[in-house]
Amino acid sequence: MRPSNHFRSQAGQKVAVALLAMLPWPVGGISADDQIAAAAVKDAKAEAAWLRHGFTGAQRDKIRAALQLGIDQKFVPGGALLIIHRGEPILREGFGVASLETRQPFTIDAPCRIASVTKPHTSTLIAMLVEQGKLSWDDPVDKYLPTFVGIAVRDKGPATRTPKVRELLSHTAGFPGQPAIDSGRWKIKTTGTLADAVADLPAQGLAAEPGTVYAYTGLGYMVAGRIAELVAGKEYGALMKEMLLEPIGAKAATFYPSDELKARIPTAYERKDGEFVKLDPASRPRAAAAFPNPAGSLISTVDDVGRLLMLHLNRGQVDGNQLVKPESLQALYQRQPATGRTSYGLGFNVLKVNAKGEGIRVRHTGASGTFAQLNFENDLIFVLLTQVPQTQTQPFRDGLLKAVAEVFSSADAGAN
């Protein structure tokens, strides 16, 4: 994979950090009064960077038109968008509203439930622990959790072996997929601690032999998070903050939102008959856990998700310091056995690989309407946060990705 030293220097990173500190420019789908308020937080530096990188105002308008279309067609009331090109934010703004009731603009610093975009954070943390020698990708789960010895495949008897750590993060550990969990066929403990929930899993059994079937689920990530707690001697949320979030400067990201932060989270909606209806996130089975869920309960902003992807784009460096080795991160972009057409790695969907089989375009989405994509070829990061279920917003997201791909003159910019 070719290096991109022209924007991975310490000086370049400082420019990116400085630009990420700017305020957003909400656009489209809001009242005249809201438009006046939005003008006061226009991100002038990102506006200038867009032109300096050789793009035109018309190209930027193409992307903004796609955002506006999502509002006009009632796919989303609003959201926040971040595009980083060659290490520098060039489009960074909120659009629409965070609340249809108050007409509050959706700002760039709005803390959002990022759902499964939490998974790349977890896999990055596990990669760091692997690098430190505290565990191995091919360790069996029962090395750390003896209760998994003899775990059964439901209705078939004992499994031939326990899952491996890498299988926990590639959805091939044999746990049931999300539909089976949502239907209640597997009773997942959501009270108490992460340790309590994981301790309850062996009795529930597996749905398939480890390493044989891909089934998208958060259970493997919960088990991986519990293993991380055991080998590091710290509660998962605190461990994530200390090892990853604080070092990359993700100050807004948290598993423990204060009341003040909760009040700033944009209203969650779902679409029914072409209209928006308020959605209680806690009512969704996969989001109901009371403890920090390594699979999907992180609250973050577009800037802080961007910081995670910048860590990957900079090959594990932050401000010139090597936080994690490039080869440790590269393991996350390797397509894993049994994932089939999903081409899942460890915490990332691997959309494209080079001749060596190394992932050069990876991403993850979240059920709450979140999206994070990293393109090593084009030196491009794309982060979109909304709070409407992604299953209901696919046409909007596809249109936006198409506009981005056209602007960056390559279908590989993320059009599929």
Side-chain angles (χ1 to χ4, degrees):
M1 191 181 301
R2 66 176 180 85
S4 298
N5 292 329
H6 64 286
F7 74 94
R8 286 171 176 52
S9 67
Q10 183 173 357
Q13 289 176 7
K14 287 182 178 178
V15 170
V17 170
L19 287 167
L20 281 171
M22 296 300 295
L23 287 173
W25 176 30
V27 297
I30 54 181
S31 69
D33 289 342
D34 289 337
Q35 290 283 11
I36 293 172
V41 290
K42 181 176 179 180
D43 191 343
K45 289 191 176 181
E47 296 274 291
W50 178 272
L51 300 176
R52 193 171 64 252
H53 281 238
F55 302 106
T56 67
Q59 288 175 313
R60 184 170 50 206
D61 289 344
K62 180 189 288 287
I63 294 175
R64 286 176 173 162
L67 299 176
Q68 184 62 50
L69 189 62
I71 294 171
D72 294 342
Q73 294 183 342
K74 294 186 177 181
F75 281 107
V76 294
L81 174 66
L82 172 67
I83 298 178
I84 301 175
H85 183 241
R86 297 179 179 173
E88 185 173 16
I90 62 171
L91 191 61
R92 181 177 176 275
E93 55 195 48
F95 61 96
V97 296
S99 168
L100 292 168
E101 290 72 33
T102 66
R103 308 303 297 175
Q104 179 71 26
F106 203 121
T107 61
I108 198 69
D109 62 349
C112 295
R113 300 174 183 88
I114 64 171
S116 286
V117 175
T118 303
K119 291 182 173 69
H121 292 75
T122 292
S123 66
T124 302
L125 175 63
I126 298 297
M128 296 170 73
L129 293 171
V130 169
E131 181 178 303
Q132 293 174 5
K134 294 184 176 179
L135 71 159
S136 166
W137 291 120
D138 291 312
D139 282 343
V141 169
D142 58 344
K143 178 178 179 179
Y144 308 98
L145 296 166
T147 54
F148 276 76
V149 172
I151 191 171
V153 178
R154 189 177 286 194
D155 300 325
K156 293 185 179 180
T160 57
R161 62 173 175 83
T162 54
K164 300 176 181 179
V165 170
R166 71 171 62 251
E167 292 166 344
L168 298 175
L169 301 184
S170 62
H171 305 289
T172 60
F175 290 116
Q178 203 64 54
I181 297 171
D182 289 349
S183 71
R185 295 200 298 275
W186 265 260
K187 304 295 184 183
I188 308 305
K189 191 176 181 64
T190 59
T191 58
T193 65
L194 176 61
D196 294 332
V198 171
D200 194 54
L201 291 179
Q204 298 291 319
L206 300 176
E209 285 285 350
T212 64
V213 177
Y214 174 89
Y216 187 82
T217 176
L219 300 186
Y221 281 77
M222 290 168 59
V223 176
R226 176 56 183 154
I227 291 174
E229 289 184 332
L230 291 170
V231 301
K234 289 191 176 182
E235 182 269 339
Y236 180 77
L239 182 65
M240 173 66 76
K241 180 180 179 180
E242 178 184 303
M243 284 192 63
L244 182 60
L245 299 180
E246 286 189 341
I248 66 175
K251 296 180 180 180
T254 181
F255 287 106
Y256 310 104
S258 63
D259 290 341
E260 184 275 333
L261 187 66
K262 289 178 182 178
R264 293 178 50 228
I265 297 176
T267 303
Y269 296 98
E270 60 182 335
R271 300 174 70 241
K272 289 186 177 180
D273 300 322
E275 300 294 335
F276 291 113
V277 178
K278 280 188 177 182
L279 173 66
D280 178 8
S283 68
R284 297 172 65 84
R286 68 186 70 184
F291 48 81
N293 185 348
S297 67
L298 192 63
I299 292 172
S300 191
T301 63
V302 286
D303 288 343
D304 281 356
V305 174
R307 287 182 172 94
L308 175 76
L309 298 187
M310 280 292 291
L311 174 71
H312 287 264
L313 199 58
N314 284 330
R315 302 293 191 268
Q317 287 193 9
V318 179
D319 292 335
N321 299 315
Q322 198 73 48
L323 182 63
V324 55
K325 294 178 181 178
E327 53 267 32
S328 297
L329 296 180
Q330 184 59 233
L332 308 185
Y333 325 137
Q334 301 291 326
R335 291 171 172 168
Q336 295 297 301
T339 60
R341 293 178 61 186
T342 62
S343 296
Y344 204 91
L346 303 174
F348 288 94
N349 284 104
V350 183
L351 304 184
K352 187 177 181 181
V353 298
N354 61 17
K356 298 179 181 180
E358 299 168 331
I360 53 179
R361 179 155 56 93
V362 299
R363 78 176 181 199
H364 213 291
T365 60
S368 59
T370 54
F371 182 96
Q373 181 160 298
L374 171 58
N375 189 324
F376 288 98
E377 277 188 308
N378 290 6
D379 292 345
L380 189 69
I381 286 171
F382 177 96
V383 182
L384 172 70
L385 301 185
T386 74
Q387 297 288 263
V388 180
Q390 68 161 340
T391 55
Q392 301 178 355
T393 61
Q394 188 75 38
F396 158 66
R397 194 183 72 187
D398 288 347
L400 178 58
L401 289 173
K402 181 180 179 182
V404 170
E406 290 173 351
V407 166
F408 287 88
S409 302
S410 170
D412 288 340
N416 67 3

mmCIF file of all heavy atoms in Angstrom, residues 62 82 86 91 105 169 194 199 206 218 299 306 314 347 356 359 380 409:
data_model
loop_
_atom_site.group_PDB
_atom_site.id
_atom_site.type_symbol
_atom_site.label_atom_id
_atom_site.label_comp_id
_atom_site.label_asym_id
_atom_site.label_seq_id
_atom_site.Cartn_x
_atom_site.Cartn_y
_atom_site.Cartn_z
ATOM 1 N N LYS A 62 -23.055 20.232 -5.422
ATOM 2 C CA LYS A 62 -23.611 18.924 -5.780
ATOM 3 C C LYS A 62 -23.822 18.072 -4.527
ATOM 4 O O LYS A 62 -24.850 17.412 -4.371
ATOM 5 C CB LYS A 62 -22.674 18.203 -6.754
ATOM 6 C CG LYS A 62 -23.170 16.825 -7.194
ATOM 7 C CD LYS A 62 -22.103 16.084 -7.981
ATOM 8 C CE LYS A 62 -21.917 16.688 -9.352
ATOM 9 N NZ LYS A 62 -23.056 16.356 -10.245
ATOM 10 N N LEU A 82 -18.718 15.257 7.479
ATOM 11 C CA LEU A 82 -17.300 15.608 7.500
ATOM 12 C C LEU A 82 -16.595 14.884 6.364
ATOM 13 O O LEU A 82 -16.716 13.655 6.228
ATOM 14 C CB LEU A 82 -16.665 15.203 8.838
ATOM 15 C CG LEU A 82 -15.145 15.337 8.948
ATOM 16 C CD1 LEU A 82 -14.725 16.802 8.893
ATOM 17 C CD2 LEU A 82 -14.637 14.682 10.233
ATOM 18 N N ARG A 86 -6.694 14.385 1.998
ATOM 19 C CA ARG A 86 -5.264 14.582 2.217
ATOM 20 C C ARG A 86 -4.965 15.166 3.602
ATOM 21 O O ARG A 86 -4.156 16.053 3.770
ATOM 22 C CB ARG A 86 -4.668 15.458 1.119
ATOM 23 C CG ARG A 86 -4.768 14.829 -0.259
ATOM 24 C CD ARG A 86 -4.191 15.725 -1.332
ATOM 25 N NE ARG A 86 -4.284 15.074 -2.635
ATOM 26 C CZ ARG A 86 -3.974 15.665 -3.786
ATOM 27 N NH1 ARG A 86 -3.573 16.928 -3.783
ATOM 28 N NH2 ARG A 86 -4.090 15.013 -4.916
ATOM 29 N N LEU A 91 -14.835 19.715 3.905
ATOM 30 C CA LEU A 91 -16.289 19.908 3.988
ATOM 31 C C LEU A 91 -16.706 19.430 5.361
ATOM 32 O O LEU A 91 -16.548 18.258 5.699
ATOM 33 C CB LEU A 91 -17.022 19.129 2.896
ATOM 34 C CG LEU A 91 -18.513 19.457 2.723
ATOM 35 C CD1 LEU A 91 -18.702 20.923 2.341
ATOM 36 C CD2 LEU A 91 -19.160 18.569 1.667
ATOM 37 N N PRO A 105 -30.978 23.827 14.844
ATOM 38 C CA PRO A 105 -30.115 23.329 13.765
ATOM 39 C C PRO A 105 -29.282 22.127 14.213
ATOM 40 O O PRO A 105 -28.897 22.017 15.386
ATOM 41 C CB PRO A 105 -29.222 24.535 13.445
ATOM 42 C CG PRO A 105 -30.001 25.722 13.896
ATOM 43 C CD PRO A 105 -30.748 25.262 15.112
ATOM 44 N N LEU A 169 -14.736 -10.687 16.317
ATOM 45 C CA LEU A 169 -14.800 -9.381 15.662
ATOM 46 C C LEU A 169 -15.147 -9.465 14.180
ATOM 47 O O LEU A 169 -15.311 -8.434 13.526
ATOM 48 C CB LEU A 169 -13.467 -8.650 15.829
ATOM 49 C CG LEU A 169 -13.026 -8.391 17.274
ATOM 50 C CD1 LEU A 169 -11.736 -7.582 17.297
ATOM 51 C CD2 LEU A 169 -14.113 -7.669 18.065
ATOM 52 N N LEU A 194 -21.123 -5.418 31.829
ATOM 53 C CA LEU A 194 -20.711 -6.201 30.662
ATOM 54 C C LEU A 194 -20.306 -7.604 31.098
ATOM 55 O O LEU A 194 -20.628 -8.593 30.427
ATOM 56 C CB LEU A 194 -19.542 -5.495 29.960
ATOM 57 C CG LEU A 194 -18.915 -6.218 28.763
ATOM 58 C CD1 LEU A 194 -19.943 -6.424 27.657
ATOM 59 C CD2 LEU A 194 -17.708 -5.428 28.232
ATOM 60 N N ALA A 199 -21.218 -13.370 30.975
ATOM 61 C CA ALA A 199 -21.305 -14.595 31.782
ATOM 62 C C ALA A 199 -22.568 -15.375 31.473
ATOM 63 O O ALA A 199 -22.611 -16.610 31.649
ATOM 64 C CB ALA A 199 -21.252 -14.244 33.269
ATOM 65 N N LEU A 206 -24.590 -21.357 21.064
ATOM 66 C CA LEU A 206 -24.281 -20.785 19.758
ATOM 67 C C LEU A 206 -25.357 -21.167 18.752
ATOM 68 O O LEU A 206 -26.165 -22.067 18.983
ATOM 69 C CB LEU A 206 -22.918 -21.298 19.272
ATOM 70 C CG LEU A 206 -21.704 -20.973 20.152
ATOM 71 C CD1 LEU A 206 -20.450 -21.650 19.579
ATOM 72 C CD2 LEU A 206 -21.508 -19.469 20.255
ATOM 73 N N GLY A 218 -23.814 -8.285 17.681
ATOM 74 C CA GLY A 218 -22.974 -7.562 18.615
ATOM 75 C C GLY A 218 -22.386 -8.436 19.705
ATOM 76 O O GLY A 218 -21.548 -7.980 20.485
ATOM 77 N N ILE A 299 -21.271 7.292 22.131
ATOM 78 C CA ILE A 299 -21.801 8.575 21.667
ATOM 79 C C ILE A 299 -20.621 9.417 21.223
ATOM 80 O O ILE A 299 -19.609 9.499 21.918
ATOM 81 C CB ILE A 299 -22.594 9.275 22.781
ATOM 82 C CG1 ILE A 299 -23.874 8.489 23.072
ATOM 83 C CG2 ILE A 299 -22.926 10.723 22.410
ATOM 84 C CD1 ILE A 299 -24.641 8.966 24.275
ATOM 85 N N GLY A 306 -13.995 11.128 12.902
ATOM 86 C CA GLY A 306 -12.942 11.470 11.958
ATOM 87 C C GLY A 306 -11.560 11.262 12.549
ATOM 88 O O GLY A 306 -10.634 10.835 11.859
ATOM 89 N N ASN A 314 -3.226 7.679 9.055
ATOM 90 C CA ASN A 314 -1.856 8.054 9.402
ATOM 91 C C ASN A 314 -1.040 6.862 9.885
ATOM 92 O O ASN A 314 0.016 7.052 10.501
ATOM 93 C CB ASN A 314 -1.865 9.148 10.473
ATOM 94 C CG ASN A 314 -2.230 10.497 9.902
ATOM 95 O OD1 ASN A 314 -1.968 10.786 8.744
ATOM 96 N ND2 ASN A 314 -2.841 11.332 10.726
ATOM 97 N N GLY A 347 -13.853 -5.447 12.454
ATOM 98 C CA GLY A 347 -14.395 -4.134 12.764
ATOM 99 C C GLY A 347 -14.611 -3.244 11.568
ATOM 100 O O GLY A 347 -15.023 -2.087 11.722
ATOM 101 N N LYS A 356 -1.980 -7.164 -3.014
ATOM 102 C CA LYS A 356 -1.473 -7.931 -1.882
ATOM 103 C C LYS A 356 -2.585 -8.407 -0.950
ATOM 104 O O LYS A 356 -2.313 -9.049 0.062
ATOM 105 C CB LYS A 356 -0.467 -7.092 -1.098
ATOM 106 C CG LYS A 356 0.772 -6.688 -1.885
ATOM 107 C CD LYS A 356 1.696 -5.846 -1.012
ATOM 108 C CE LYS A 356 2.934 -5.413 -1.769
ATOM 109 N NZ LYS A 356 3.838 -4.578 -0.917
ATOM 110 N N GLY A 359 -6.574 -4.208 2.554
ATOM 111 C CA GLY A 359 -7.740 -3.343 2.389
ATOM 112 C C GLY A 359 -7.340 -1.913 2.101
ATOM 113 O O GLY A 359 -6.538 -1.327 2.842
ATOM 114 N N LEU A 380 -8.981 9.888 1.475
ATOM 115 C CA LEU A 380 -10.304 10.461 1.704
ATOM 116 C C LEU A 380 -10.985 9.803 2.897
ATOM 117 O O LEU A 380 -11.009 8.580 3.020
ATOM 118 C CB LEU A 380 -11.164 10.270 0.448
ATOM 119 C CG LEU A 380 -12.516 10.972 0.403
ATOM 120 C CD1 LEU A 380 -12.329 12.483 0.304
ATOM 121 C CD2 LEU A 380 -13.328 10.461 -0.793
ATOM 122 N N SER A 409 -14.224 12.178 -8.701
ATOM 123 C CA SER A 409 -13.848 11.609 -10.006
ATOM 124 C C SER A 409 -13.474 10.144 -9.972
ATOM 125 O O SER A 409 -12.578 9.706 -10.705
ATOM 126 C CB SER A 409 -12.681 12.432 -10.603
ATOM 127 O OG SER A 409 -13.028 13.764 -10.739
#
